[in-house]
Amino acid sequence: MNNLIIKSGLVAVLAGMLAIGIVACDPKDPKPIDEEKAALTINITPKWGTQTLEYFTNYTTQAGNDISIETLKFFIDEIELKKVDGTWLKVADVAFLDYAVEANKKVTYADIPEGNYEGVRFVIGVDSISNHADPATFPNDHPLNPLVHKTMHWGWNPGYIFSKVEGRYIESGLSKTFSYHLGLLKFSRQLQFENQLIEIKKGTNNLNFNLLLDKYFNAPNVIDVYQSPITHTMGDNVLAPKLYENTENIITIVNP
Amino acid sequence: MRAILFICGVLLFASCGDDTPKNEYPQPTPFELRVPVGFPLPVIPADNALTVEGIDLGRHLFFDKKLSADGTQSCGSCHNQQMAFTDNNKRFSTGITGAIGTRNAMAIFNLTWVPGGFFWDGRANTLREQALIPIEDPIEMAHDINLLVSQLNNEEFYKEKFGKAFGTEEVDRDKVAKALEQFMLSIISVDSKFDKARRGEAALTPQENEGFDIFMREFRSIDDPRPKGGDCFHCHGGQLFTTNTFHNNGISAEPFADEGRFRVTGLPSDKGKFRAPSLRNIAVSGPYMHDGRFETLIDVLNHYNNGVIRSSTLDPNMKAVDDGLGLTPNQVNSLLAFLNSLTDTVYLNNPAYKNPFE
């Protein structure tokens, strides 16, 4: 009971301090709040054709494969906006997108310089310095820390797995799987969108993109998943380059 | 501002009145985990900072048989430090009533790097939540936490320890959980031969190095002449030797006798999935898998080499389902040698983790 009284007393004191603090606060104090700055949300929606991609749903590829997707994860990095003078301004670093986790389906960056821009570009991958850094050196809430991405690092040697697309299909009555992992700096893909009108102003700004996952299997290279269900990039000079080529036009911008 | 502080001081003083408890305790002593370079920073709950006194209390609770209904079992009864805090090579543990569990007792170390999802199926979000479940499980320690709290509140020994750890002697459910959480978070394994080799304090043998190489190497198709990898790192990669994720590793056919993660999430795609455990100290923590079905590490390696069972939730990275990994007996032995290099005798014998009642 004594402890309860002390606790109650403390709560009262703290509540009192808070109330006094609010009253005492000088409204002229320069206290920046979120709405006073510009934030940028990058929202990349996976699609299959015109439909929003659904996990564990059958889709037919151009190769005639009936596949379902159950993993789609990738890093984006080096987010840059094109200024009106034609130069590119880096505004944000790496983020981890994982479409199995609601919170990781989009990313919001704070403190983006306000202004009018004419383009945006970013990389699917991880910059070269970070890619070969010790993952443990990143803070525990950083996208590149293993406690955050969990499965996107190759261990000590080659660096990060930039993207993972995994899924399943039925062949001859058997449940089979495919697993495509792309990494290594040579397979880092920069995607650039110019001739846009992008106004970054106070509050949250949105840049929306579609990720056309059907292209990953279909264009320009038709991938036969049944015949080639695996690449983890290492030692693969056939499938990994084809999939990489298929990422060239995989993301489209929706409404700048 | 001075005026505000004065008012606060008066209020605080007044609120205590004459009922100030007899025993006042100083702030507990902060405890810093020893984490070598290469490991992520420890993750400690914001409302349960590690302290010397909190860990000491947690250790006493962990090894105290009062935590079971009839006073015959402690947490330590089924979590033996010498076996990486697993249950003495038993497939399943026996509770106080003689009832036998259905899942293999899990190892305890490096839990500061487990970002939630404790137990084989990840049903406990936090370690403190996990800590109370075996105490109340009718087939384990079968106690009632409220009764336990009453017992502890009647013991000067524990009142003092709770006072030192939390500032007040009053025992409650939350403090019991937090103390156990602190002790378990303090248990660290970072000194295996493998760790020492990475720090330049020891050298792996050629066989251990070959095993590590196989461990880290991607699997190649059966027709590929290049050396085959074990592809182990996808689920057991990095310094922690686990990705803290849930997988179906092809040990069971459908319908699954134990549906694992599905029981927690209700997602059909989670049927037959279980936590990928850390492989640190794996040589001393058998038997293996959630149900302890494999007695030895050789059994485990044989499973991955040529025993994977196809099912609708088999992990897409279990690629050797058709033809097996094709590892030779020598390669299997090298993998085994490497896994043995993950045994950490410093941790297994650390006096800070021992039973304080012995």
Side-chain angles (χ1 to χ4, degrees), chain A residues 87-107:
Chain A
T87 60
W88 289 90
L89 175 69
K90 184 176 171 187
V91 296
D93 278 322
V94 65
F96 173 54
L97 297 173
D98 176 357
Y99 291 87
V101 180
E102 197 59 40
N104 289 345
K105 288 182 177 177
K106 59 184 179 181
V107 56

Side-chain angles (χ1 to χ4, degrees), chain A residues 11-48:
Chain A
V11 168
V13 169
L14 290 173
M17 287 179 75
L18 186 62
I20 293 166
I22 290 169
V23 173
C25 178
D26 183 349
K28 290 175 190 163
D29 279 354
K31 291 199 171 181
I33 51 174
D34 286 345
E35 288 72 22
E36 293 299 310
K37 289 189 172 182
L40 173 62
T41 296
I42 291 183
N43 188 9
I44 303 174
T45 305
K47 299 267 191 179
W48 190 280

